[in-house]
Amino acid sequence: MVIRVNGLAKSFKVAKRSSGLTEALKALFYRKHTIVQALQDISFSIEPGEIVGYIGPNGAGKSTTIKVMSGILVPDQGTCEIMGFTPWKNRANYVKNIGVVFGQRSQLWWDVPVIDSFELLKDIYKVSYHDYQENLTMLIDLLNLKDIIHTPVRQLSLGQRMRCEIAASLIHNPKILFLDEPTIGLDAVSKIAVRKFIQDYAKEKKVTVVLTTHDMSDIEALATRIILIGKGQLFYDGSVTTLRESYGSQKILTIDYQKSNVELDTSLQSLILSKTEERIILRVDTKTANVSKIIGQLSSQVELIDVSIEAEPIEDIIIKLYKEYQI
Amino acid sequence: MFIFGKYLSILLKAQMQYRVSFLLLSFGQFFVPFSVFAGLYFLFEQFGQIKGWSFYEVGLCFAIIHMAFAISECFGRGFDSFSQLVASGDFDRLLVRPRSTVLQVLGSKFEFTRIGRLLQSLTVLIIVLVHIEIDWTIAKVITMMLMVVSGVFIFVGIFILAATLCFWTIQAIEVANIFTDGGREIAQYPLDIYKKWVTRFFTFVIPFATTNYIPLNYLLGKTDSSDLFYVFIPLAGILFILPCLLIWHYGVKHYRSTGS
């Protein structure tokens, strides 16, 4: 086990202030505080080489967990052991082993060419010249950075910059990679490039990846496992397949048929999402209804042209989970 | 130290992307303290001397303090503008890198335009040295250099203290300017011209006296104690940085447990 988190809890004191000038003046001398429980009793463990999607709605405590695991924050309670280290103790020695990407913040030096940032990071992390060259060649190749590496960061597009950000966090060959919203704001092409890279790199270098995201297609494409938190609590921890099996029992059934005026028998055990003269879209819960039976029933009434069955998008499953847990 | 040079070089490269702005700002930095110096000149024109200090003697004090201030603003800018680093959340980034926070904050920003201020202080120093007669010895040269070094450490120490405040509140740091800008304004004159408590405060709390008044007397041959004592007096000012660093580490600890 490479990451073991046990009973992690963290609360923040947040200053409360009402609007208005008098209130603002009052706040100069006296402030009311509310305690926000950011994390309560979070426990999980992660095996080497796993890619874990750490998800939850805004304010769920995702970033707080990442900050604790990367040694920035000290929790109120609980233990965390990563590669034999406690992240918030002996910070300097621990952080050599991890790479962190904060999707919303840059770690590159803004006004100089990307390569200069890489070189400074090499010195900060004390990477040997040989390792650096080897690593850099690979990163340039995999992330397709050849044409942008001599451009100042401020002139890069967001997608180009994110690829450089990811490369920057891997210069020192970390064994664990924390990605906090790595695809935020990226266009479809860049998103796919970033995902593909993370997948290939993790596989080749056997790095453990923990990523937070709001984009469920990231999870679908990358993660083998999901940890879902909300309001600081852990609600689900398991594989994507299990999640689908237990929550994704609904299928979307689209059936095209020869134009007909026959009034379809709507006593089908399903929910009609839309219906025209030549197409009907149904949502079927496979727990209570049988897809083939429904198709059979329909084919006896009209002449079918095409049938497609789709699993429910993971996004919908997650929304269902959020609703179920009221987070 | 090696990595500090690396930070310096990348930020210098960045600064050179904006050459015109750099030149204009440096030019401005040359002339701002120049007007202050002109003020000093007219003051002495009127009064001749202040508590037995002549214009050129005070000028020496002025040059040394302004040199120290220029150097510390250039190299200690990371702490001076630390509130931005905390507000933007970029301090988190420093914490996930395997280097000391002090080194990284220092390396996060340099204010190269202070070269203007430094050149101005050097000019003043040269003018002053031409006009006063000092029996130069090696001990005195070392003392004078140590005075500048000690001043740098004191200013950076104050920057660090002010930066530490940012861990608690981002708005209140203007208070610190009382001690940086205020300290500079006060310490550009020999400290014995002020009321006793001011002199005491700037001797024992913020030890500007170790970069200014005490060794200045020695340089000018106004003392009779043994040489070595005066050579090492500025070193006491350097020690000021130690409690500042201690408080800084306490602040970092607080930040990591509150995250704000």
Side-chain angles (χ1 to χ4, degrees), chain A residues 53-242:
Chain A
Y54 197 63
I55 56 174
N58 286 324
K62 297 188 298 291
S63 292
T64 307
T65 319
I66 297 279
K67 281 182 182 179
V68 168
M69 288 197 294
S70 51
I72 297 169
L73 280 182
V74 181
D76 300 338
Q77 269 173 43
T79 59
C80 173
E81 198 189 307
I82 301 181
M83 295 179 72
F85 290 95
T86 298
W88 54 90
K89 289 176 187 155
N90 202 351
R91 180 185 68 82
N93 274 324
Y94 165 67
V95 295
K96 276 180 206 159
N97 303 293
I98 62 166
V100 188
V101 173
F102 296 112
Q104 318 221 43
R105 282 181 222 141
S106 181
Q107 60 172 320
L108 302 164
W109 280 260
W110 193 244
D111 286 314
V112 292
V114 182
I115 186 79
D116 289 356
S117 292
F118 288 175
E119 260 158 35
L120 182 52
L121 286 170
K122 160 191 164 272
D123 293 324
I124 290 175
Y125 283 96
K126 299 179 186 160
V127 181
S128 75
Y129 180 77
H130 176 260
D131 289 354
Y132 170 68
Q133 285 301 333
E134 198 180 280
N135 226 342
L136 189 65
T137 319
M138 190 193 84
L139 290 170
I140 288 177
D141 184 44
L142 283 178
L143 281 163
N144 195 15
L145 303 177
K146 209 170 82 214
D147 301 326
I148 53 176
I149 204 152
H150 295 288
T151 315
V153 177
R154 67 183 139 90
Q155 290 170 9
L156 297 179
S157 72
L158 189 59
Q160 290 172 327
R161 209 195 77 205
M162 191 53 74
R163 271 148 52 203
C164 295
E165 295 281 351
I166 291 174
S169 66
L170 295 172
I171 293 284
H172 58 292
N173 228 336
K175 282 277 145 254
I176 296 175
L177 187 57
F178 296 115
L179 304 168
D180 197 1
E181 305 193 27
T183 56
I184 196 162
L186 299 189
D187 64 37
V189 179
S190 305
K191 258 183 199 174
I192 288 169
V194 165
R195 273 179 210 149
K196 185 169 178 343
F197 168 78
I198 295 172
Q199 206 162 28
D200 294 349
Y201 185 86
K203 206 172 188 181
E204 183 170 331
K205 293 264 186 173
K206 300 198 171 48
V207 261
T208 310
V209 181
V210 178
L211 87 151
T212 76
T213 181
H214 288 293
D215 187 340
M216 290 311 151
S217 45
D218 283 350
I219 299 290
E220 200 139 40
L222 281 175
T224 45
R225 179 171 156 203
I226 290 179
I227 295 176
L228 171 78
I229 65 162
K231 292 180 185 158
Q233 284 166 299
L234 193 139
F235 286 105
Y236 178 85
D237 179 357
S239 75
V240 180
T241 337
T242 320

Side-chain angles (χ1 to χ4, degrees), chain B residues 3-53:
Chain B
I3 192 75
F4 191 69
K6 292 282 178 179
Y7 277 120
L8 202 62
S9 103
I10 199 167
L11 289 168
L12 189 62
K13 250 189 215 173
Q15 175 80 73
M16 287 310 137
Q17 296 270 318
Y18 307 96
R19 253 173 241 144
V20 177
S21 136
F22 170 72
L23 286 175
L24 286 177
L25 281 169
S26 304
F27 192 70
Q29 283 294 322
F30 184 88
F31 281 100
V32 171
F34 197 78
S35 62
V36 182
F37 185 65
L40 193 70
Y41 176 79
F42 292 123
L43 194 72
F44 277 88
E45 183 97 308
Q46 198 63 239
F47 298 107
Q49 56 162 337
I50 296 175
K51 277 211 175 166
W53 297 92

